[in-house]
Amino acid sequence: MRGSILVLGRGFIGKRISHGLGCAISERKIFTLKDAEDEIKKKKPKILINCAGHIGGNVDDCELDKDKTLFANAFLPLILAEAALRNKVKLIHVSTGCIYHFDYKKDKPINEAKVPDFLDLFYSRSKIYAERALEVLSKQFNILIARIRIPLDYIPHKRNILTKLLSYKQVNNLPNSVTYLPDFINALKHLIKIDARGIYNMVNKGALKYKDMLDIYIKYSPGFNYEIVDFKKLNMRRTNLILSTKKLEDAGFNVRDIHEVLKECVKKYIKY
């Protein structure tokens, strides 16, 4: 599998996938279809995993550079899809689940069939543009859209939700779907093995309240303090939601509940 996969995007997720799958990561910046085809012809991968994108310091920064956001999150995935299908390469596009409104009182966990409807943020809109087009292409071509959400890992990183939470004094306590990256990598291996196509929610089962994880962290690192704050008082436009894992489970992957991984994650994080 190693030599047949090429990762595009040298950010947190790209490097993590490259390490987890033991595969190469591209150094090349892609701006045109020719750039993409040249890199495919040079590296000769059977699978191209797109982890490139733009988010800035946080999703609000996407409003400050709309051109960069639109190109990286919407146009680039389509350029890569065209290059991949022209060269008979499987494309795996790492997408996001932050594309839905969610009513905790009425809604059930969101499955892959629901049309994205969170248009409040330019970041989310740019992600929706690419995903909707790729979903159509995946009905005929070998394209997998892997949705992750709120990445959690035992390796400290500014994009890791645990690292983020430890830098905050206040956290909200809304339940959210979370992707534990070691489990995500194993799920990705499984979907590659069965040559899956279309959209898959790549999150852990259940939903995480940040308090649950921080309380475990405090057991191993006494002295850390935080307070719970009502999300509405933060006055922030954000998605808070729960995604369904049924499709991933039906594909034959054993999806662990997010609460099963917390102790493992925190202990490794502290020792890292």
Side-chain angles (χ1 to χ4, degrees):
M1 182 185 291
R2 293 183 179 184
S4 64
I5 299 176
L6 179 64
V7 174
L8 182 68
R10 299 185 60 82
F12 178 38
I13 303 299
K15 289 180 179 178
R16 197 68 175 85
I17 290 176
S18 175
H19 180 265
L21 298 184
C23 59
I25 187 167
S26 176
E27 299 281 349
R28 183 160 185 170
K29 295 280 188 180
I30 305 296
F31 296 102
T32 66
L33 178 60
K34 184 179 184 304
D35 290 342
E37 288 203 274
D38 285 349
E39 187 69 354
I40 288 172
K41 289 172 181 176
K42 179 181 178 181
K43 300 293 176 61
K44 296 179 172 59
K46 294 180 180 178
I47 300 171
L48 181 65
I49 303 180
N50 177 38
C51 302
H54 178 67
I55 191 172
N58 60 51
V59 292
D60 295 322
D61 288 347
C62 292
E63 306 286 344
L64 304 177
D65 195 338
K66 292 185 176 67
D67 286 334
K68 185 174 183 179
T69 300
L70 197 60
F71 178 80
N73 295 349
F75 297 162
L76 179 60
L78 302 187
I79 289 172
L80 296 176
E82 183 65 23
L85 67 89
R86 283 171 180 260
N87 291 275
K88 296 180 172 57
V89 172
K90 181 182 183 75
L91 175 67
I92 299 177
H93 173 63
V94 178
S95 186
T96 178
C98 299
I99 50 178
Y100 293 104
H101 285 284
F102 190 79
D103 187 330
Y104 285 97
K105 294 180 180 179
K106 299 178 181 178
D107 294 340
K108 296 180 180 179
I110 299 169
N111 65 33
E112 292 82 351
K114 183 174 181 181
V115 175
D117 61 2
F118 187 82
L119 306 176
D120 304 41
L121 289 170
F122 189 65
Y123 167 79
S124 296
R125 294 203 299 276
S126 68
K127 289 291 191 177
I128 291 171
Y129 297 152
E131 183 176 291
R132 295 291 284 162
L134 293 177
E135 181 184 13
V136 172
L137 288 171
S138 72
K139 298 182 187 302
Q140 185 173 342
F141 300 103
N142 200 343
I143 296 174
L144 170 66
I145 300 115
R147 286 180 179 163
I148 65 173
R149 187 157 191 281
I150 309 182
L152 170 67
D153 199 8
Y154 60 81
I155 299 175
H157 192 280
K158 64 181 181 179
R159 299 289 188 202
N160 181 352
I161 186 59
L162 181 52
T163 302
K164 287 184 178 181
L165 291 174
L166 295 179
S167 69
Y168 299 155
K169 298 299 183 183
Q170 297 180 320
V171 300
N172 77 69
N173 206 33
L174 292 173
N176 271 289
S177 283
V178 172
T179 299
Y180 184 46
L181 292 186
D183 287 7
F184 165 68
I185 290 167
N186 287 332
L188 196 56
K189 290 177 181 178
H190 176 75
L191 293 183
I192 289 171
K193 183 178 180 180
I194 66 172
D195 197 26
R197 301 183 184 191
I199 301 172
Y200 282 81
N201 293 334
M202 306 282 277
V203 297
N204 287 79
K205 194 185 301 184
L208 175 67
K209 290 185 177 181
Y210 296 146
K211 179 181 185 300
D212 295 340
M213 182 163 58
L214 292 176
D215 286 349
I216 291 175
Y217 180 84
I218 289 172
K219 290 180 181 179
Y220 295 96
S221 184
F224 176 76
N225 295 301
Y226 71 95
E227 66 173 316
I228 299 294
V229 62
D230 185 343
F231 177 75
K232 293 179 181 179
K233 293 182 179 180
L234 296 175
N235 195 29
M236 300 171 69
R237 290 179 298 170
R238 293 290 186 272
T239 52
N240 291 285
L241 55 91
I242 303 171
L243 296 174
S244 170
T245 58
K246 185 177 185 301
K247 184 176 180 180
L248 184 57
E249 292 176 274
D250 288 347
F253 184 73
N254 180 31
V255 181
R256 292 198 289 176
D257 189 283
I258 188 61
H259 295 90
E260 292 180 42
V261 311
L262 296 183
K263 186 175 179 180
E264 167 193 319
C265 177
V266 168
K267 288 177 70 174
K268 287 185 176 180
Y269 183 95
I270 290 173
K271 292 180 179 179
Y272 197 84

